């Protein structure tokens, strides 16, 4: 007896990808398991943070909107109508929905069980390719070039580049996995898992994988009494082992895990079970790869409710930076992404701190990141530098208002300290009354530094002249910026002092092109890549941009780019400075991760000959840009 309802559903499905790649018998089989979902106008299908449904949906009639909430406003991201797919997230991700889905008009949807449809995904390459490309590119139909939708994954992306490469980037694997032979007891296997804090042990023979035991096996086979704790590994191991070569993409790994209903893949030298074991990939690795997407980190930051949650996000950001360096993504691009996420973390720390105060700020204020944070060059977890400016108030209110903002700043800096940004040893923080001031006080402070640029003033210029607005009322910051440029206009003494300071660190090579290293102290014989390499470029870029009245640009790479556009005659030098800064920043960041330090000091003995050549080549632009400073600011006397 024919099932007319199933046939009608199948007739509809076959008109739309990816179902058009399936045969009619397959479509009818799928349709028999479908459910029809009716939504009234404004009825919710799912909300952000809801647990994933066991179905995904295709719109038959009507329209469903996908939206997010930002700053207490609903932002419509996409409108899905006939033939569009919604809710595929459970196919690829373990976390909850990242968007709200609500009917924009009376709508009819077909709910397709994910468990049923998975079988057809694995059997049909065209279907699996469609779903992977859709999820990776965040379009509900990657083949529709004229009417591309968005966000089949309900996943707001950070930018187009990240959207395209996210799920096709190689996934990292754990190297040198723990292995055992087939006659080791299950008890020994369990002890290995506890000792090394791992979820699997590969069973090998002649360095070839013949089986795998996971914590799931221990629960299902040992804890249930099916096998004894002293039985041997070959009695409970899962075999054959599903193997892959290195550098498989996140999407491919996810698909294999779903296809075989497993949580671990063994990485071998050629991807087969007849070659040497070189690594292991777990579901946790997949989850980490997903969590390290910049867009995901930004969204998680906005939803975080505690300092500890923000700490976890910053840890994922560290992993993102390390992966980006490994994949040779340009340092400028890394700085841009990391700077925005760091800013989002600081902004959320402020929002949480205001909630903790239980009182709204008494007057408008603005939070500033200064120094390397202000330049968006803080790739490592170095100390925090920040400041706060509040609106001018009557004298009788001043003490009360300042007391509020100092307490707020203390809360914010405490949150940031939990996140991993240590307190500044020199107390260059908004919690210090010296750096929590009214607009007028900040104008006077900058005026003092500019018109009396002694040694201390110049030191402050190198930190406080690199500021970035983070939160609050930007007009307060604009007023300070306007006052600064008014004070430095034609101020030759100020530029001469600032120029002299920028010349304190000449190119760090001796007469015979040997590296100039530290002569004594804790870092004797080490090379100071920050002080001798990065700071001369940072100082030069700042000075030249102040002189050219370039506003709104703090990042050193961007500053040199703008200078190159303004001064074509010096463009080659500025472009070389930008490249040199990228090279030096990468050296410092990699050293910081390798030694769990600020990365400031390099052990030259650990560098390859090629790395030493790269370092030396980065020093020539320092000499050239300092020659520009000498000429432009008549620095012969100061140097």
């Amino acid at each position: 007896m024919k099932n007319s309802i199933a046939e009608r559903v199948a007739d509809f499905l076959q008109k739309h990808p990816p179902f058009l790649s399936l045969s009619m018998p397959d479509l009818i089989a799928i349709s028999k398991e479908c459910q029809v979902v009716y939504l009234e106008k404004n009825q919710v299908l799912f909300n952000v943070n809801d647990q994933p449904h066991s179905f995904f949906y295709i719109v038959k009639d009507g329209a469903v909107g996908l939206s997010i909430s930002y700053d207490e406003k609903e932002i419509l991201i996409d409108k899905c109508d006939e033939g569009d797919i919604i809710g595929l997230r459970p196919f690829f991700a373990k976390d909850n929905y990242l968007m709200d889905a609500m009917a924009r008009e009376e709508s009819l949807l077909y709910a397709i069980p994910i468990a049923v449809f998975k079988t057809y995904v694995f059997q049909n390459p065209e279907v699996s390719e469609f779903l992977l490309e859709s999820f990776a590119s965040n379009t509900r139909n990657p083949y529709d070039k004229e009417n591309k939708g968005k966000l089949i994954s309900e996943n707001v992306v950070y930018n187009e580049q990240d959207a395209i490469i996210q799920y096709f980037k190689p996934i990292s694997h754990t190297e040198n996995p723990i292995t055992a032979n087939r006659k080791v007891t299950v008890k020994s296997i369990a002890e290995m898992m506890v000792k090394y804090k791992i979820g699997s042990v590969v069973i090998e023979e002649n360095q070839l994988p013949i089986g795998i035991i996971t914590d799931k096996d221990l629960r299902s086979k040992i804890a249930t009494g099916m096998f004894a704790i002293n039985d041997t590994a070959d009695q409970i191991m899962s075999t054959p082992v599903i193997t892959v070569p290195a550098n498989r993409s996140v999407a491919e790994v996810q698909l294999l895990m779903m296809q075989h209903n497993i949580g671990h893949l063994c990485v071998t030298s050629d991807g087969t079970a007849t070659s040497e074991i070189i690594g292991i990939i777990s579901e946790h690795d997949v989850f980490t790869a997903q969590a390290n997407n910049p867009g995901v980190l930004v969204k998680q930051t906005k939803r975080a409710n505690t300092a500890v949650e923000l700490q976890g996000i910053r840890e994922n950001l560290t992993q993102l930076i390390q992966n980006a360096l490994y994949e040779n993504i340009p340092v400028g691009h890394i700085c841009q992404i990391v700077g925005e996420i760091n800013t989002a973390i600081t902004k959320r720390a402020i929002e949480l701190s205001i909630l903790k105060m239980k009182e709204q700020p008494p007057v408008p204020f603005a939070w500033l990141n200064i120094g390397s944070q202000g330049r968006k060059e803080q790739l490592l977890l170095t100390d925090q530098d920040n400041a706060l400016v509040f609106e001018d108030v009557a004298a009788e209110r001043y003490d009360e208002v300042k007391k509020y903002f100092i307490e707020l700043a203390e809360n914010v800096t405490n949150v940031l300290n939990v996140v991993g940004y240590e307190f500044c040893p020199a107390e260059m923080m908004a919690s210090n009354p010296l750096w929590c001031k009214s607009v007028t006080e900040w104008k006077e402070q900058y005026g003092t530094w500019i018109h009396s640029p002694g040694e201390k003033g110049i030191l402050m210029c190198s930190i406080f002249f690199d500021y970035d607005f983070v939160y609050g009322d930007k007009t307060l910051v604009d007023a300070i910026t306007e006052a600064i440029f008014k004070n430095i206009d034609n101020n030759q003494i100020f530029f001469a002092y600032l120029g002299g300071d920028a010349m304190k660190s000449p190119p760090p090579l001796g007469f015979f092109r040997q590296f100039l290293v530290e002569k004594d102290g804790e870092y004797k014989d080490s090379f100071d890549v920050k002080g001798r390499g990065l700071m001369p470029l940072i100082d030069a870029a700042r000075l030249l941009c102040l002189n050219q009245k370039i506003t709104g640009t703090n990042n050193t790479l961007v500053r040199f780019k703008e200078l190159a556009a303004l001064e074509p005659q010096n463009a080659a030098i500025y472009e070389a400075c930008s490249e040199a800064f990228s090279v030096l920043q990468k050296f410092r960041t990699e050293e910081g991760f390798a030694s769990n330090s600020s990365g400031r000091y390099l052990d030259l003995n650990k560098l390859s000959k090629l790395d030493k050549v790269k370092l030396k080549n980065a020093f020539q632009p320092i000499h050239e840009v300092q020659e520009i400073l000498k000429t432009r600011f008549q620095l012969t006397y100061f140097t």
Side-chain angles (χ1 to χ4, degrees):
M1 181 176 178
K2 289 187 176 181
N3 186 328
S4 57
I5 295 178
E7 288 182 351
R8 286 202 298 271
V9 174
D11 286 339
F12 174 81
L13 293 178
Q14 72 172 348
K15 299 174 184 177
H16 304 283
F19 307 100
L20 51 78
S21 301
L22 300 174
S23 66
M24 181 54 70
D26 286 344
L27 289 174
I28 291 175
I30 293 170
S31 299
K32 287 179 179 178
E33 304 296 330
C34 285
Q35 295 182 16
V36 178
V37 177
Y38 169 74
L39 298 177
E40 296 181 353
K41 184 178 180 180
N42 296 330
Q43 185 175 346
V44 172
L45 179 63
F46 53 76
N47 283 314
V48 64
N49 285 331
D50 281 356
Q51 290 188 350
H53 298 179
S54 58
F55 299 87
F56 69 94
Y57 306 89
I58 182 168
V59 180
K60 170 65 170 64
D61 297 305
V64 177
L66 299 176
S67 62
I68 60 171
S69 296
Y70 180 67
D71 287 344
E72 300 182 353
K73 295 180 181 178
E74 181 191 27
I75 301 175
L76 181 65
I77 300 299
D78 199 16
K79 191 175 180 181
C80 304
D81 47 30
E82 182 180 327
D84 288 332
I85 294 174
I86 305 170
L88 264 176
R89 186 161 194 79
F91 253 104
F92 297 94
K94 295 290 185 182
D95 56 345
N96 297 340
Y97 290 117
L98 298 179
M99 283 195 175
D100 298 319
M102 183 177 70
R104 293 283 162 173
E105 57 189 67
E106 193 175 18
S107 302
L108 199 66
L109 284 63
Y110 292 142
I112 301 173
I114 290 173
V116 171
F117 194 64
K118 275 185 178 179
T119 304
Y120 300 94
V121 173
F122 303 136
Q123 292 176 350
N124 192 310
E126 292 182 7
V127 174
S128 59
E129 183 179 351
F130 175 90
L131 296 182
L132 289 173
E133 289 192 21
S134 298
F135 197 76
S137 62
N138 283 321
T139 59
R140 48 181 194 237
N141 185 352
Y143 307 145
D144 186 354
K145 299 194 182 332
E146 294 184 0
N147 301 294
K148 275 192 174 184
K150 298 177 184 177
L151 308 164
I152 195 170
S153 62
E154 291 80 58
N155 181 8
V156 183
V157 297
Y158 184 78
N159 59 38
E160 291 182 6
Q161 180 175 356
D162 295 310
I164 294 169
I165 67 175
Q166 167 63 15
Y167 286 93
F168 291 103
K169 288 167 62 176
I171 187 171
S172 300
H173 64 266
T174 302
E175 298 181 350
N176 303 316
I178 303 301
T179 62
N181 67 62
R182 65 194 312 154
K183 293 305 177 183
V184 168
T185 65
V186 174
K187 180 181 179 182
S188 297
I189 296 290
E191 289 171 344
M192 289 180 192
M193 289 185 181
V194 172
K195 178 181 179 180
Y196 295 105
K197 298 180 181 179
I198 54 176
S200 67
V201 173
V202 179
I203 309 304
E204 56 88 20
E205 194 169 80
N206 298 322
Q207 296 186 312
L208 305 181
I210 60 170
I212 187 170
I213 295 177
T214 68
D215 47 11
K216 181 180 177 182
D217 291 316
L218 298 181
R219 291 193 303 271
S220 62
K221 298 175 183 178
I222 303 301
T224 59
M226 187 181 301
F227 292 90
I229 194 72
N230 290 318
D231 284 343
T232 54
D234 56 0
Q235 292 179 268
I236 76 160
M237 68 183 185
S238 299
T239 187
V241 183
I242 306 303
T243 57
V244 292
N247 297 321
R248 292 296 289 268
S249 69
V250 176
E252 291 172 302
V253 166
Q254 281 185 303
L255 204 58
L256 276 172
M257 287 183 174
M258 288 190 297
Q259 182 177 354
H260 297 282
N261 192 28
I262 56 176
H264 297 80
L265 296 172
C266 183
V267 183
T268 61
S269 56
D270 69 2
T272 71
T274 58
S275 62
E276 183 181 353
I277 302 164
I278 61 173
I280 197 85
I281 299 173
S282 67
E283 278 187 312
H284 176 74
D285 296 323
V286 175
F287 179 79
T288 300
Q290 292 172 337
N292 290 343
N293 174 277
V296 173
L297 293 181
V298 170
K299 289 193 302 298
Q300 289 176 341
T301 299
K302 292 174 181 177
R303 298 199 301 264
N305 291 314
T306 66
V308 173
E309 288 181 48
L310 291 175
Q311 179 189 39
I313 292 166
R314 188 55 181 81
E315 289 172 354
N316 285 336
L317 177 58
T318 296
Q319 185 65 50
L320 182 150
I321 297 169
Q322 290 176 307
N323 290 343
L325 290 171
Y326 178 78
E327 294 167 13
N328 288 318
I329 293 175
V331 168
H333 181 60
I334 300 173
C335 285
Q336 178 188 2
I337 293 174
V338 174
E340 292 304 324
I341 298 174
N342 279 336
T343 297
I345 289 173
T346 303
K347 182 175 180 180
R348 189 56 182 157
I350 297 167
E351 292 170 344
L352 294 175
S353 298
I354 291 175
L355 291 174
K356 183 178 179 181
M357 295 286 289
K358 298 181 180 178
E359 288 182 31
Q360 289 298 304
V363 296
F365 77 101
W367 185 277
L368 303 176
N369 281 340
I370 59 177
S372 62
Q373 287 179 311
R375 295 190 302 272
K376 293 185 176 178
E377 295 167 1
Q378 190 182 40
L379 299 183
L380 298 167
L381 272 170
T382 51
D383 59 287
Q384 51 181 295
D385 297 303
N386 43 61
L388 188 148
V389 53
F390 56 87
E391 188 177 72
D392 289 331
V393 294
E396 59 269 21
R397 292 191 63 202
Y398 178 85
D399 289 343
E400 172 194 351
V401 170
K402 183 160 184 173
K403 180 181 178 182
Y404 174 94
F405 285 117
I406 289 176
E407 184 179 347
L408 173 63
E410 287 175 348
N411 289 334
V412 176
T413 54
N414 284 332
V415 171
L416 294 175
N417 186 59
V418 172
V419 171
Y421 300 105
E422 295 182 359
F423 295 120
C424 175
E427 295 191 28
M428 301 284 189
M429 298 181 294
S431 53
N432 183 340
L434 289 173
W435 315 127
C436 178
K437 300 174 182 285
S438 67
V439 176
T440 296
E441 287 177 313
W442 273 116
K443 289 179 180 178
E444 292 172 350
Q445 179 66 78
Y446 276 101
T448 299
W449 287 333
I450 292 167
H451 294 296
S452 303
E455 184 174 341
K456 184 176 179 181
I458 291 301
L459 172 64
M460 295 305 179
C461 290
S462 69
I463 299 173
F464 284 89
F465 277 69
D466 293 337
Y467 56 83
D468 180 50
F469 168 72
V470 174
Y471 182 94
D473 187 345
K474 189 174 182 295
T475 61
L476 303 176
V477 183
D478 292 339
I480 295 171
T481 302
E482 183 180 351
I484 288 172
F485 279 93
K486 183 177 180 180
N487 279 317
I488 66 175
D489 189 38
N490 294 319
N491 191 329
Q492 295 180 356
I493 294 177
F494 170 74
F495 283 115
Y497 267 101
L498 210 60
D501 186 69
M503 298 292 294
K504 282 183 179 178
S505 296
L509 290 178
F511 184 78
F512 296 104
R513 281 184 57 82
Q514 78 275 20
F515 289 96
L516 298 180
V517 297
E518 302 305 294
K519 295 182 179 179
D520 49 37
E522 180 182 356
Y523 299 102
K524 185 176 183 296
D525 297 327
S526 295
F527 177 73
D528 183 356
V529 69
K530 176 186 176 182
R532 295 183 182 273
L534 289 167
M535 289 311 301
L537 293 169
I538 292 169
D539 291 340
R542 180 193 306 111
L543 172 58
L544 291 165
C545 282
L546 285 172
N547 181 247
Q548 289 282 20
K549 299 180 180 179
I550 297 173
T551 62
T553 298
N554 295 329
N555 181 268
T556 302
L557 293 174
V558 179
R559 279 173 165 169
F560 279 124
K561 183 177 180 181
E562 296 212 8
L563 287 166
L566 280 174
E567 302 177 24
Q569 72 277 16
N570 295 319
I573 294 175
Y574 294 145
E575 287 166 2
C577 287
S578 179
E579 177 61 27
F581 183 86
S582 295
V583 170
L584 296 170
Q585 180 83 324
K586 187 172 183 179
F587 270 108
R588 181 186 180 184
T589 307
E590 289 178 336
E591 171 62 24
F593 286 132
S595 60
N596 192 29
S597 68
S598 68
R600 177 167 183 162
Y601 296 96
L602 303 181
D603 183 347
L604 297 176
N605 293 323
K606 294 181 180 179
L607 298 184
S608 67
K609 184 177 180 180
L610 178 60
D611 283 340
K612 290 178 181 178
V613 171
K614 286 181 181 178
L615 262 183
K616 289 181 178 180
N617 289 343
F619 301 149
Q620 180 59 31
I622 296 176
H623 170 76
E624 293 173 341
V625 77
Q626 288 186 345
E627 287 299 312
I628 292 177
L629 300 184
K630 283 183 182 179
T631 303
R632 185 164 303 180
F633 303 108
Q634 301 177 358
L635 298 177
T636 305
Y637 172 77
F638 286 88
T639 57

